[in-house]
């Protein structure tokens, strides 16, 4: 996994140019997209009123496709992933827009029907496996419960299928491990259990939210390879939420860049890495650690992501953007250039932004 720390310049060499025509983002054919999110706005009710967290987020995932979602903490990646499975608190969360999965709008689906989809058609791998796994139930009980909730099978059949799932994710002595508790597993093994739980019903889509954050580099590489292999073997689509651009470069075909609750770029991974269309994507790529001369200044993005209670008007990145000009104070719609990149920047036809290899 050579891209964990640096991006392979030879693999990403070359240049990418294109002009934006100012046309609106083209949505995929409904029959082509497995998941289609349209104008998703998420907010939370509080004592001082509503707080908007995301604004008009739109993207799609095709069957079997692996899509990476990147951005700094606080950009709305996790809350978007949770909203797809309706896991946000119903009393305080407000969701506007449409979440179409296989033609059905999950945002308006009755909760009884939603429970049939969770785990069966869409699964989620959470950031921290120790808090996601229930400490008072054995690993086997938690795996079997998932199967029994969605299939008509005996407990013996569920046990056999659970042991098989543990074997498939590389856990040694699965018959013994089936009866053990989460605290008896290492961090890497717990994450493998979470992957087994997400895959045990053979879902069509997995939302993986920072599945390798708490793991060391060696185990991280093993988990990423395992996810990709299982995705290839089963045809499961993967929405990969991560801070690690190297992981996205190695595993995904498309990359969504989120900033301050908006998708600011949607492009093929190779194109985004070579010649990003949005200044924020370029800033993230330039901030990647790389071999350089001693004493050379490491590029960084000044400032921080704005608070949801103090979002700037117009382009939300303009206060941190070195390319900001008059006109950036206006609302920025997504435009599509001739190469198919979708970028939320009115200057995309003027800028030649540095990527990961410049």
């Amino acid at each position: 996994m050579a891209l964990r720390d640096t991006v392979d310049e030879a693999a990403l060499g070359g240049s990418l140019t294109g002009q934006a025509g100012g046309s609106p983002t083209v949505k995929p054919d409904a029959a082509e997209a497995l998941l289609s999110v349209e104008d998703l706005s998420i907010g939370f009710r509080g004592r001082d009123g509503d707080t908007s967290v995301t604004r008009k987020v739109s993207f799609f995932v095709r069957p079997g496709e692996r899509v990476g979602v990147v951005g700094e903490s606080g950009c709305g990646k996790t809350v978007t992933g949770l909203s797809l499975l309706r896991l946000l608190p119903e009393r305080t969360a407000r969701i506007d827009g449409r979440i179409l999965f296989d033609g059905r709008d999950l945002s308006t689906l009755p909760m009884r029907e939603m429970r049939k989809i969770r785990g069966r058609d869409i699964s989620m791998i959470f950031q921290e496996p120790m808090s996601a796994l229930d400490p008072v139930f054995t690993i086997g009980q938690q795996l079997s419960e998932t199967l029994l909730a969605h299939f008509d099978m005996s407990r013996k059949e569920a046990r056999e299928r659970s042991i098989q799932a543990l074997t498939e994710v590389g856990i040694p002595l699965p018959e013994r491990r089936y009866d053990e508790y989460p605290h008896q597993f290492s961090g890497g093994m717990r994450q493998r259990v979470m992957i087994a739980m997400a895959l045990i019903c053979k879902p069509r889509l997995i939302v993986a939210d920072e599945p390798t954050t708490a793991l060391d580099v060696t185990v991280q590489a093993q988990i990423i390879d395992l996810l990709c292999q299982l995705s290839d073997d089963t045809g499961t689509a993967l929405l990969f939420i991560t801070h690690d651009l190297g992981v996205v470069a190695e595993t995904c075909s498309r990359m969504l860049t989120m900033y301050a609750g908006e998708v600011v770029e949607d492009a093929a991974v190779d194109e985004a890495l070579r010649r990003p269309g949005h200044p924020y994507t370029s800033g993230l790529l330039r901030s990647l650690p790389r071999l350089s001369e001693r004493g050379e200044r490491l590029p960084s993005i000044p400032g921080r992501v704005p608070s949801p209670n103090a979002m700037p008007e117009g382009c939300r990145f303009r206060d941190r953007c070195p390319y900001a000009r008059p006109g950036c104070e206006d609302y920025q719609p997504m435009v599509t250039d001739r190469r198919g990149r979708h970028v939320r920047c009115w200057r995309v036809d003027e800028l030649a932004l540095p990527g990961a290899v410049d």
Side-chain angles (χ1 to χ4, degrees), residues 119-153:
R120 178 65 184 92
D121 296 309
I122 308 176
S123 293
M124 187 162 188
I125 303 172
F126 297 94
Q127 287 191 34
E128 178 45 60
M130 196 57 200
S131 59
L133 294 170
D134 195 319
V136 301
F137 292 98
T138 66
I139 294 298
Q141 287 175 315
Q142 297 182 60
L143 283 168
S144 295
E145 181 186 15
T146 305
L147 288 169
L148 295 171
H150 294 288
F151 299 102
D152 183 15
M153 63 171 58

Side-chain angles (χ1 to χ4, degrees), residues 138-291:
T138 66
I139 294 298
Q141 287 175 315
Q142 297 182 60
L143 283 168
S144 295
E145 181 186 15
T146 305
L147 288 169
L148 295 171
H150 294 288
F151 299 102
D152 183 15
M153 63 171 58
S154 66
R155 292 194 174 274
K156 180 180 179 182
E157 291 173 324
R159 177 187 174 90
E160 292 173 353
R161 180 65 189 95
S162 298
I163 292 174
Q164 181 185 347
L166 293 175
T167 303
E168 290 171 351
V169 297
I171 292 182
L173 304 174
E175 293 85 357
R176 192 187 77 185
R177 291 294 205 172
Y178 178 91
D179 295 313
E180 293 182 346
Y181 289 87
H183 72 271
Q184 296 175 275
F185 285 65
S186 67
M189 289 295 105
R190 288 197 296 266
Q191 195 61 281
R192 288 175 185 266
V193 171
M194 289 297 302
I195 294 173
M197 192 175 297
L199 286 167
I200 198 167
C201 293
K202 298 187 179 351
R204 301 169 66 189
L205 172 67
I206 292 179
V207 181
D209 184 12
E210 296 281 2
T212 60
T213 298
L215 307 179
D216 61 64
V217 175
T218 302
V219 177
Q220 180 187 89
Q222 294 172 356
I223 294 296
I224 295 300
D225 288 342
L226 175 63
L227 272 174
C228 292
Q229 178 184 345
L230 294 174
S231 174
D232 291 337
D233 292 344
T234 62
T236 300
L238 182 65
L239 187 66
F240 205 109
I241 299 171
T242 181
H243 290 90
D244 195 331
L245 290 164
V247 170
V248 173
E250 284 197 36
T251 63
C252 299
S253 59
R254 279 181 38 239
M255 186 173 85
L256 305 175
T257 306
M258 288 194 68
Y259 181 77
E262 295 181 326
V263 175
V264 296
E265 184 165 357
D266 180 350
V269 165
D270 288 348
E271 294 182 351
L273 293 173
R274 291 185 185 126
R275 190 65 63 196
H278 196 279
Y280 181 61
T281 308
S282 177
L284 291 177
L285 294 171
R286 298 297 290 171
S287 300
L288 284 170
R290 66 188 70 211
L291 295 176

Side-chain angles (χ1 to χ4, degrees), residues 1-40:
M1 306 295 283
L3 294 182
R4 290 291 173 265
D5 302 308
T6 61
V7 174
D8 185 347
E9 299 189 8
L12 302 178
S15 63
L16 178 68
T17 60
Q19 294 184 346
S23 59
T25 299
V26 179
K27 295 180 180 179
D29 190 302
E32 179 187 6
L34 174 65
L35 173 73
S36 181
V37 177
E38 301 177 359
D39 296 330
L40 180 64

